[in-house]
Amino acid sequence: FVSELYESVKAGAAAGLDLNAVYRETYARLAECYGHWVIFAHCMPFDVTRAFDEASGHADPRIWTAERDVAMWKALEGV
């Protein structure tokens, strides 16, 4: 799962896609195989965001803050 997720995110980031587009493509790609996992939909925003950070040059995890949480949801939901 982690390898497939990261490869999808890495490809999207390399293509210059934003977080929203990478999230939607990665979710669609992995849902068929892993979508039945109870926690799949809940964890994907966080998993994709972390992988996107790494694929975009953030080697170390960034600290998760309330502001970062709001920014992530705005990026994913277009709010």
Side-chain angles (χ1 to χ4, degrees):
F1 170 80
V2 173
S3 295
E4 290 178 47
L5 178 125
Y6 185 70
E7 287 306 313
S8 178
V9 171
K10 184 176 161 185
L17 300 178
D18 65 8
L19 177 59
N20 185 297
V22 170
Y23 173 74
R24 294 189 188 294
E25 284 188 7
T26 301
Y27 191 101
R29 188 169 293 151
L30 273 63
E32 185 175 335
C33 188
Y34 303 105
H36 66 281
W37 290 0
V38 174
I39 201 159
F40 176 81
H42 174 77
C43 290
M44 281 296 286
F46 305 100
D47 294 344
V48 171
T49 299
R50 172 61 191 121
F52 189 80
D53 282 353
E54 189 171 330
S56 301
H58 295 278
D60 297 317
R62 293 189 289 162
I63 295 180
W64 202 264
T65 63
E67 293 82 9
R68 184 157 185 236
D69 192 70
V70 169
M72 178 195 71
W73 288 111
K74 284 182 179 179
L76 296 182
E77 296 180 350
V79 177

